[in-house]
Amino acid sequence: MKTYLIDLDGTMYKGNTIIDGALDFLQRIREHGDRYLFLTNNATRTGKQNVEHMEKLGFYGLNPEDFFTSSMAAARYIAKKSSKRNAFFVGKDGLREALLDSGFTITDKDVDFVFVGLDKDGSYQTYSYALKFLLNGAKLVGTNSDRLLAKDDGFNIGNGSIVAMFEYATGQESEKIGKPYQPILDEVLEYASITKEEAILVGDNLETEIKLGVDFGVKTIFVTSGVHDRKDIERLKIIPNQVVNSLNDIEM
Ligand SMILES: [Mg+2]
């Protein structure tokens, strides 16, 4: 049995539109007796919120457990590395839930870690408040390093840019967790109880999920429905195992 680790944005949907072939792809995986998990750097939503968001777009039969986010990876990874559990965070429900699930206490007293997972309502005041803990010795943990966040008509500032701001302000380097870094791969394999030989990474971004697979020996399928196209393969020198124009072209 194979487990497809499928990216969301640019692979399953784009903005508020389902990508052609996405529904069929999931159905074909189910019918073939294989399994899928959504593996996303988006740290903001809980599993339940991800289900709601996708069902609004027309997906069906999804469960909160089908989603593994960079928030979950960050919380699980840091909880293994350290016995300290006082966390402050800049982020949304997805990060809050992941921290609580991994046994962290969310507090602004004796803060050990400042997790940063994108808060679109973040302000100069909230960032400066978080900065105080970092300057007092708390460790910076960015959930993911995405510079940009795609939207319907261009881009927004991505979480990695916010993390870089904290790095610059404090001179402290963040942990690297999300795709293309190893922690999210190790954590999702453990979450899914699979080996990397049983996994296939599927996504539209050569620099995140495809690089993750290439660097750590997981099979990759690159679909050109999102941020990158075929000519980017040569430019970036990141070579997927398989390239398809559409999820419809993936044979089980
Ligand atoms: Mg994507």
Side-chain angles (χ1 to χ4, degrees), residues 3 16 50 54 57 90 110 112 136 143 153 157 166 170 174 181 183 185 207 214 217 227 234 241:
T3 299
N16 288 318
N50 270 311
M54 286 178 71
L57 304 183
V90 175
D110 300 323
D112 303 308
N136 282 337
T143 60
D153 57 348
I157 293 274
F166 283 114
T170 62
S174 171
Y181 297 101
L185 176 63
E207 295 177 293
V214 169
V227 293
E234 189 48 39
N241 294 104

Side-chain angles (χ1 to χ4, degrees), residues 93-211:
D93 293 348
L95 182 50
R96 178 196 306 276
E97 185 179 275
L99 290 170
L100 294 175
D101 284 350
S102 286
F104 286 93
T105 300
I106 293 165
T107 179
D108 52 9
K109 301 253 171 356
D110 300 323
V111 174
D112 303 308
F113 300 100
V114 173
F115 288 82
V116 178
L118 194 63
D119 176 4
K120 286 185 181 171
D121 306 312
S123 68
Y124 188 79
Q125 279 72 23
T126 55
Y127 297 147
S128 297
Y129 192 68
L131 174 67
K132 183 177 73 174
F133 306 119
L134 294 167
L135 294 176
N136 282 337
K139 196 145 180 19
L140 176 62
V141 186
T143 60
N144 63 302
S145 305
D146 299 44
R147 284 194 184 90
L148 304 173
L149 190 61
K151 60 173 178 172
D152 285 340
D153 57 348
F155 294 94
N156 284 325
I157 293 274
N159 188 52
S161 301
I162 309 291
V163 174
M165 175 187 71
F166 283 114
E167 290 180 326
Y168 189 68
T170 62
Q172 183 188 155
E173 204 181 319
S174 171
E175 294 277 359
K176 302 272 189 289
I177 308 279
K179 298 181 286 187
Y181 297 101
Q182 189 170 5
I184 196 168
L185 176 63
D186 291 344
E187 295 302 329
V188 73
L189 294 178
E190 185 182 284
Y191 177 80
S193 303
I194 55 171
T195 63
K196 65 181 181 180
E197 288 76 20
E198 296 169 298
I200 303 173
L201 286 156
V202 182
D204 68 303
N205 192 323
L206 291 165
E207 295 177 293
T208 57
E209 53 270 354
I210 305 303
K211 181 167 167 46

